[in-house]
Amino acid sequence: MATITRGELAKRCDINFETVRYYERQGLIAIPARNASNYRVYDEETVRRIRFIKRAQEVGFTLKEIQDLLALRVRRGARCSDVVARADAKIADIDARIRSLGAMRRSLVALAKQCEGGDASISKCPILDAFEAPA
Amino acid sequence: MATITRGELAKRCDINFETVRYYERQGLIAIPARNASNYRVYDEETVRRIRFIKRAQEVGFTLKEIQDLLALRVRRGARCSDVVARADAKIADIDARIRSLGAMRRSLVALAKQCEGGDASISKCPILDAFEAPA
DNA sequence: CTTGACCTTGTTGTTGCCTACAAGCTGTAG
DNA sequence: CTACAGCTTGTAGGCAACAACAAGGTCAAG
């Protein structure tokens, strides 16, 4: 039942058919098993993995960084202290991104509020204030 | 005092000298005034603008999207309802990104905790759980 | 038993975002 | 007055992340 083809995988993850092969070449997904006809066969974990990749990309991680994220759990033999250190670094990175987004959000809210006040002339620029919060 | 050259601008914003010209071509910064020697001269607002661009890029906005963000305040003649609607859309977008990052953060914290517990064998994969929160 | 959708490989093209020339003008320090 | 950093233009190169071929094998429907 759980034999997913390349086309099905692409459709379910909403990515291009060829992108699957690209991710395979880049080592982002495991090299898949093949059926009798030499077709690639995938499982549900690959679906989840690609969806994770997409979400991580949307918030600004490069494929290389995503590889790092995914590699954290793969190295079963890795020492825990190392994994923790790498995880902590990524958490700090994520926190910085969240702070940046928070600053932008506040700027946009201020902009919208200025408009709603009926003040048609936007004198100052709240958007550019976003940089004030240190990255 | 406030005459900033291209090289100074690049240095202060920590971007490449040529990138300034690229941003000018893309309409991300205003076409600058020129001094007697035909050198581009910039002001502090351009510094802030480029810093904003950099921060927005780091959290995953494309240059096109950043242009949209910056355009929100430029159109002085724009109707307020329009600006508010566009700002609200961007806020929703930002909220989605923050939620994604929050899910990833929780996954990483769970991973680190599993490790700290002295449990050297990482059985499940908390990172892949990140996709469970809807984008 | 052929049509058409799907898969295989290798290779090339595209888009976004820079980055790096070359050839020449400008401005200042020694 | 010359060296040298810094500016000008136009144009070309480069990397990430795909996307799109071509030429052919596979398989279910009619």
Side-chain angles (χ1 to χ4, degrees), chain B residues 9-57:
Chain B
L9 182 68
K11 206 162 287 177
R12 284 187 57 186
C13 297
D14 196 31
I15 63 172
N16 188 283
F17 176 70
E18 297 288 1
T19 303
V20 177
R21 205 157 51 113
Y22 176 73
Y23 283 174
E24 183 182 327
R25 282 199 300 273
Q26 301 302 309
L28 283 159
I29 57 177
I31 292 173
R34 302 295 182 111
N35 69 10
S37 311
N38 199 34
Y39 289 13
R40 289 169 176 82
V41 291
Y42 299 96
D43 53 12
E44 290 294 331
E45 175 149 339
T46 308
V47 175
R48 294 192 295 164
R49 199 177 170 98
I50 290 178
R51 285 184 180 161
F52 174 83
I53 291 168
K54 276 198 76 185
R55 297 216 317 138
Q57 268 190 304

Side-chain angles (χ1 to χ4, degrees), chain A residues 65-82:
Chain A
E65 287 169 332
I66 294 166
Q67 240 172 348
D68 289 350
L69 277 170
L70 289 166
L72 278 179
R73 61 117 196 178
V74 165
R75 324 186 339 130
R76 266 160 205 280
R79 280 176 324 164
C80 278
S81 59
D82 183 48

Side-chain angles (χ1 to χ4, degrees), chain B residues 104-117:
Chain B
M104 284 180 203
R105 191 187 198 286
R106 280 191 296 280
S107 299
L108 285 170
V109 168
L111 177 71
K113 205 163 199 172
Q114 241 184 23
C115 259
E116 273 174 352

Side-chain angles (χ1 to χ4, degrees), chain A residues 69-107:
Chain A
L69 277 170
L70 289 166
L72 278 179
R73 61 117 196 178
V74 165
R75 324 186 339 130
R76 266 160 205 280
R79 280 176 324 164
C80 278
S81 59
D82 183 48
V83 173
V84 170
R86 289 160 59 80
D88 283 347
K90 285 297 174 188
I91 289 168
D93 184 7
I94 286 170
D95 285 344
R97 284 168 202 248
I98 289 174
R99 276 197 302 278
S100 276
L101 285 168
M104 286 181 201
R105 190 186 199 289
R106 279 192 296 281
S107 299

Side-chain angles (χ1 to χ4, degrees), chain B residues 114-125:
Chain B
Q114 241 184 23
C115 259
E116 273 174 352
D119 181 4
S121 69
I122 301 167
S123 49
K124 286 189 301 181
C125 176

